[in-house]
């Protein structure tokens, strides 16, 4: 691309200016304030850049009612185009005062007289040069743009711009044995930052799990009873006590059986006595009832045998005839005989039972006497009722069983502690792997970054270099940066002339990389100690003691 001519109206301090450029080197000499920089800014404003304070002013007050116009005639691959941009004031009607009030300014872009929206204008301008992005057009046309900082262009953009010109193959570094530990992860397509975050998170998760395990171990150790750790000895002691208890029960078995026999005999004797008492009562009742019945029959017979009185039937109380009297007496005497015989029989039966009971009582007393002669029943009863020894043994067994439970719990805790300690060892081993991965990743990143930096720097002249990574402050995390340098001096450390030279070298190199030629504007060219040689059209703006003839043609406001 070449500039054929420029036409400026009402731009900053320029009321009107026209100039035609040659195809190679153009020098514009003028005194300070002569309008050189305004011409350059008008050029870039027409190409779509935002330039501040372009409205003409007088005594620091903007002049209203002026339309700003810049027109460029350019040539791209022998085809001419006319680019223009105008800025007009915007007004609205104030209904209260019925006057026009300025609300701002509006820019309109044109390509060959056809109006374009700003985004469309910038896109077409880049595409006319086979460029994909308007920012690329800026860095190739304005040598100060690459190292500038605007809302749309910062150091990150500069860095990305440089990196996209290299086609880096990391296999040479990655295939080294020391990077085998991370090779598979890198080949999966993860970025180094993603891998670093993943490794750190994995390592952090392992450390957190180890801390949790240590807390649990501390809790389990606090629950271990050192005095109740030998479960086997407790079980042996319990077995001995249970044997002692069984022996004790065996030793009192005979006494218990003897006491049970004694109690049975005593109960039997008491039953016999009770039965004897009952029989004696029955015997007495039988004798009294028989005696009473016999006396009644005797009285009836005696009454019937008395001839001086009239006789009445003892059964129905009616008077008896003499013919029936003898029969009745015979019946009464018979009843009397039967009563005596029956009573005698019953009494003898009861007496016989009493005799048998007495014999049984004698046998029981004999057995009781035999037991009492051989054993002290009172002492046996006292001993059998005293459970102190059994209770002591049961208490010991219960306490020992409690100790067994403690021992079992303590042993379980020890097993769990051993398991957790082993788990922590495994976690430590895994953690070491991730630490080694992080170290390898950092080393790989450093080596990779140095190679990438070298590849980028090899694209530019030897005086130019870029710091793309912050090796100076490297402490494990390699930060991205983008510093432009001239012979080792950073851009901020360079003088004005050095900055122009550095920007010129960067811009001309990028034009070669993109295979385009754009006009190069060099302001303050007199600050340079060397000529800037380029195949592109160049416009050199220099301060001089007198204006060039064409500068004198500028009509100032």
């Amino acid at each position: 691309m070449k500039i054929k001519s420029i036409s400026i109206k009402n731009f900053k301090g320029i009321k009107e200016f026209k100039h035609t450029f040659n195809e190679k080197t153009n020098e514009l000499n003028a005194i300070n304030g002569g309008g050189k920089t305004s011409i350059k800014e008008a050029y870039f404003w027409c190409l779509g850049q935002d330039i501040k304070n372009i409205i003409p002013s007088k005594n620091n007050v903007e002049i209203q009612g002026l339309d700003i116009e810049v027109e460029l005639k350019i040539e791209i691959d022998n085809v001419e185009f006319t680019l223009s941009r105008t800025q007009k004031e915007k007004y609205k009607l104030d209904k209260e005062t019925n006057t026009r009030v300025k609300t701002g300014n509006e820019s309109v872009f044109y390509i060959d007289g056809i109006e374009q929206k700003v985004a469309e204008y910038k896109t077409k301008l880049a595409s006319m040069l086979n460029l994909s992005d308007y920012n690329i057009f800026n860095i190739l046309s304005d040598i100060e743009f690459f190292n500038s900082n605007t809302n749309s262009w910062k150091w990150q953009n500069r860095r990305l711009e440089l990196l996209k010109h290299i086609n880096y193959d990391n296999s040479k570094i990655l295939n080294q044995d020391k990077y085998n530990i991370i090779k598979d992860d890198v080949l999966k397509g993860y970025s180094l930052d993603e891998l670093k975050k993943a490794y750190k998170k994995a390592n952090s998760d392992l450390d957190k799990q180890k801390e949790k395990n240590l807390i649990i171990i501390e809790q389990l150790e606090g629950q271990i009873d050192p005095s109740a750790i030998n479960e086997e000895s407790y079980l042996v002691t319990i077995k001995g006590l249970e044997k002692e208890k069984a022996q004790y029960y065996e030793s009192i078995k005979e006494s218990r059986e003897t006491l049970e026999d004694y109690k049975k005999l005593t109960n039997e004797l008491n039953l016999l006595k009770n039965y004897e008492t009952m029989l004696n009562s029955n015997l007495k009742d039988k004798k009294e009832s028989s005696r009473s019945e016999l006396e009644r029959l005797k009285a009836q017979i005696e009454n019937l045998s008395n001839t001086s009185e009239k006789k009445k039937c003892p059964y129905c109380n009616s008077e008896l005839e003499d013919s029936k009297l003898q029969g009745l007496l015979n019946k009464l005497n018979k009843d009397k005989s039967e009563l005596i015989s029956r009573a005698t029989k019953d009494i003898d039966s009861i007496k016989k039972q009493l005799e048998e009971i007495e014999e049984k009582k004698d046998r029981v007393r004999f057995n009781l006497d035999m037991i009492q002669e051989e054993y002290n029943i009172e002492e046996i009863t006292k001993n059998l009722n005293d459970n102190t020894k059994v209770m002591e043994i049961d208490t010991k067994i219960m306490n020992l069983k409690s100790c067994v439970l403690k021992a079992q719990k303590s042993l379980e805790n020890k097993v769990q502690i051993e398991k957790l300690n082993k788990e922590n060892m495994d976690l430590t081993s895994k953690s070491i792997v991730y630490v080694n991965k992080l170290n390898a990743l950092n080393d790989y990143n450093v080596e990779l970054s140095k190679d990438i930096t070298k590849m980028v720097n090899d694209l530019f002249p030897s005086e130019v270099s870029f710091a793309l990574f912050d090796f100076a402050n490297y402490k494990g995390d390699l930060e991205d940066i983008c510093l432009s340098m001239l012979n080792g001096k950073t851009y901020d450390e360079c003088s004005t002339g050095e900055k122009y030279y550095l920007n010129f070298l960067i811009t001309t190199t990028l034009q070669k990389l993109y295979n385009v030629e754009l006009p190069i504007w060099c302001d303050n060219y007199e600050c340079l100690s060397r000529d800037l040689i380029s195949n592109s059209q160049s416009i050199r703006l220099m301060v001089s003691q007198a204006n060039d003839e064409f500068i004198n043609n500028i009509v100032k406001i």
Side-chain angles (χ1 to χ4, degrees):
M1 168 182 162
K2 291 180 173 58
I3 310 171
K4 303 294 286 183
S5 65
I6 186 169
S7 175
I8 304 171
K9 288 183 180 180
N10 300 323
F11 186 89
K12 287 198 168 186
I14 300 174
K15 183 176 182 180
E16 188 173 354
F17 174 73
K18 293 182 179 181
H19 183 68
T20 302
F21 297 89
N22 64 51
E23 294 186 355
K24 287 296 182 180
T25 303
N26 296 266
E27 290 187 2
L28 280 67
N29 300 290
I31 61 173
N32 277 326
K36 308 183 306 298
T37 303
S38 294
I39 296 171
K40 171 192 167 188
E41 289 177 337
Y43 167 77
F44 285 110
W45 182 77
C46 184
L47 293 179
Q49 285 192 16
D50 292 328
I51 307 296
K52 296 180 180 180
N53 304 319
I54 65 171
I55 299 175
S57 62
K58 193 169 186 178
N59 299 324
N60 295 324
V61 178
E62 289 184 355
I63 302 173
Q64 295 189 0
L66 297 178
D67 291 342
I68 301 172
E69 297 178 13
V70 177
E71 181 183 274
L72 291 176
K73 289 188 180 295
I74 63 172
E75 182 182 292
I76 300 176
D77 295 333
N78 298 318
V79 179
E80 290 191 5
F81 298 92
T82 300
L83 309 177
S84 61
R85 178 178 181 179
T86 63
Q87 178 173 292
K88 297 183 179 182
E89 296 173 342
K90 291 174 63 177
Y91 290 88
K92 73 175 183 178
L93 183 65
D94 189 332
K95 294 181 180 180
E96 293 182 0
T97 62
N98 199 31
T99 57
R100 290 198 314 155
V101 178
K102 184 179 178 181
T103 59
N105 300 292
E106 181 181 24
S107 283
V108 182
F109 296 85
Y110 298 90
I111 298 178
D112 290 335
I114 301 173
E115 185 177 339
Q116 312 284 326
K117 293 181 180 179
V118 59
E120 185 181 14
Y121 179 79
K122 292 180 178 181
T123 300
K124 286 187 176 181
L125 196 58
S127 65
M128 288 161 67
L129 295 164
N130 295 320
L131 301 174
S132 61
D133 189 286
Y134 178 73
N135 278 331
I136 298 174
F137 174 78
N138 278 332
I139 63 175
L140 299 181
S141 61
D142 184 357
I143 65 172
E144 296 179 54
F145 186 84
F146 182 84
N147 283 306
S148 66
N149 285 290
T150 66
N151 290 334
S152 62
W153 186 261
K154 298 184 181 300
W155 70 265
Q156 293 91 338
N157 302 95
R158 289 197 294 275
R159 192 173 187 276
L160 290 173
E161 174 60 32
L162 295 170
L163 291 175
K164 74 181 183 181
H165 291 288
I166 63 171
N167 185 17
Y168 186 72
D169 181 7
N170 63 351
S171 60
K172 180 181 177 182
I173 296 176
L174 193 59
N175 286 334
Q176 297 179 65
D177 290 343
K178 61 182 178 180
Y179 297 129
N180 284 341
I181 193 172
I182 60 170
K183 183 176 180 179
D184 289 342
D185 294 337
V186 173
L187 291 177
K188 288 177 183 177
Y190 297 112
S191 70
L192 299 188
D193 284 341
E194 288 174 333
L195 289 177
K196 185 172 290 187
K197 288 178 183 178
Y199 294 160
K200 285 183 176 180
K201 184 181 184 305
N203 199 36
S204 175
D205 290 344
L206 292 172
D207 287 341
K208 287 177 182 177
Q209 186 59 48
K210 284 164 64 178
E211 286 296 324
K212 287 181 182 178
N213 288 349
L214 289 174
I215 292 172
I216 296 172
I217 288 172
E218 186 177 353
Q219 292 172 345
L220 292 173
E221 286 177 340
Q223 296 170 7
I224 292 177
D225 185 354
S227 62
I229 206 68
N230 194 343
E231 178 189 6
E232 188 175 349
S233 65
Y234 293 140
L235 293 174
V236 170
T237 306
I238 289 172
K239 190 174 181 180
L241 288 170
E242 288 176 340
K243 184 178 180 181
E244 182 182 347
K245 182 178 176 182
Q247 289 173 345
Y248 173 75
Y249 278 126
E250 186 65 29
S251 68
I252 64 173
K253 180 180 179 181
E254 184 179 351
S255 298
R256 192 183 298 278
E257 291 174 351
T258 299
L259 184 60
E260 288 176 357
D261 290 343
Y262 184 80
K263 286 180 179 180
K264 287 180 182 178
L265 291 171
T266 301
N267 289 336
E268 186 179 355
L269 181 61
N270 290 333
L271 289 172
L272 289 172
K273 285 179 179 180
N274 292 336
Y275 190 41
E276 182 182 40
T277 300
M278 182 190 70
L279 289 175
N280 284 324
S281 176
N282 290 343
L283 180 61
K284 180 180 177 182
D285 291 342
K286 190 65 177 178
K287 285 180 178 180
E288 289 178 355
S289 63
S290 298
R291 188 182 296 112
S292 176
E293 182 65 17
L294 184 61
E295 288 177 353
R296 183 183 67 77
L297 289 173
K298 283 181 178 181
Q300 288 178 352
I301 293 170
E302 186 178 345
N303 181 44
L304 291 175
S305 298
N306 190 347
T307 55
S308 62
E309 296 179 2
K310 288 184 178 181
K311 309 299 184 236
K312 289 185 178 182
C313 179
Y315 300 105
C316 63
N317 205 28
S318 62
E319 289 186 3
L320 294 172
E321 296 177 359
D322 290 338
S323 61
K324 293 181 179 181
L325 178 60
Q326 187 59 43
L328 183 58
L329 284 172
N330 291 337
K331 185 178 184 307
L332 289 172
N333 284 321
K334 183 179 178 183
D335 288 343
K336 175 184 174 184
S337 298
E338 289 176 353
L339 174 63
I340 292 170
S341 176
R342 189 169 59 252
T344 300
K345 184 178 179 182
D346 290 342
I347 289 170
D348 289 343
S349 175
I350 291 172
K351 285 182 178 180
K352 186 176 179 181
Q353 289 182 55
L354 286 171
E355 288 174 358
E356 291 174 352
I357 287 172
E358 190 61 35
E359 288 178 0
K360 289 181 179 180
K361 282 168 61 179
D362 289 342
R363 288 198 303 272
V364 171
R365 288 192 188 98
F366 176 78
N367 290 331
L368 286 171
D369 291 341
M370 291 292 290
I371 290 172
Q372 287 176 330
E373 286 179 6
E374 186 173 353
Y375 302 99
N376 187 338
I377 298 302
E378 185 178 350
E379 185 68 25
I380 288 174
T381 303
K382 181 181 177 181
N383 290 338
L384 289 176
N385 290 332
D386 185 6
N387 292 324
T388 303
K389 186 170 184 179
V390 174
M391 289 176 65
E392 287 177 354
I393 293 174
D394 286 341
T395 300
K396 288 179 181 179
I397 290 173
M398 184 175 67
N399 291 335
L400 286 169
K401 284 183 176 180
S402 175
C403 290
V404 168
L405 291 175
K406 288 182 180 179
Q408 290 173 342
K409 183 63 178 175
S410 296
L411 289 172
E412 288 174 1
N413 288 352
K414 287 185 71 177
V415 171
Q416 184 66 13
I417 288 171
E418 289 177 2
K419 182 180 177 181
L420 289 171
N421 280 328
K422 185 178 182 303
E423 183 179 335
N424 272 6
M425 289 177 65
D426 293 339
L427 291 173
T428 299
S429 299
K430 291 179 180 178
S431 180
I432 290 172
V433 171
Y434 282 110
V435 169
N436 291 338
K437 281 190 171 187
L438 275 170
N439 291 334
L441 192 67
N442 287 333
D443 292 344
Y444 171 74
N445 193 18
V446 169
E447 195 169 348
L448 184 68
S449 300
K450 288 179 179 179
D451 261 21
I452 289 173
T453 302
K454 183 178 183 304
M455 287 186 69
V456 169
N457 288 334
D458 286 346
L459 296 173
F460 291 83
S462 59
E463 302 103 310
V464 179
S465 62
F466 298 93
L468 302 177
F469 304 92
D470 191 5
F471 293 108
N473 297 307
Y474 174 65
K475 294 180 180 178
D477 289 328
L478 193 58
E479 298 293 334
D480 292 344
I481 59 173
C482 187
L483 297 177
S484 304
M485 294 183 287
L486 180 68
N487 295 320
K489 290 173 68 175
T490 64
Y491 186 78
D492 290 339
E493 295 171 342
C494 289
S495 65
T496 301
E498 289 173 330
K499 286 180 179 178
Y500 271 109
Y501 183 56
L502 176 58
N503 287 334
F504 174 80
L505 294 177
I506 293 172
T507 302
T508 53
T509 301
L510 289 174
Q511 285 191 9
K512 290 177 182 177
L513 292 173
Y514 278 105
N515 194 29
V516 296
E517 292 181 2
L518 292 173
I520 297 177
W521 290 73
C522 298
D523 204 355
N524 297 311
Y525 193 80
E526 73 282 352
C527 297
L528 296 170
S529 59
R530 73 201 86 185
D531 280 339
L532 304 182
I533 308 302
S534 169
N535 292 328
S536 300
Q537 182 185 30
S538 64
I539 300 93
R540 302 173 179 176
L541 307 178
M542 296 188 293
V543 176
S544 64
Q545 299 299 318
N547 293 337
D548 285 344
E549 181 180 350
F550 84 93
I551 291 291
N552 289 325
N553 292 331
I554 294 177
V555 179
K556 292 200 172 184
I557 293 173

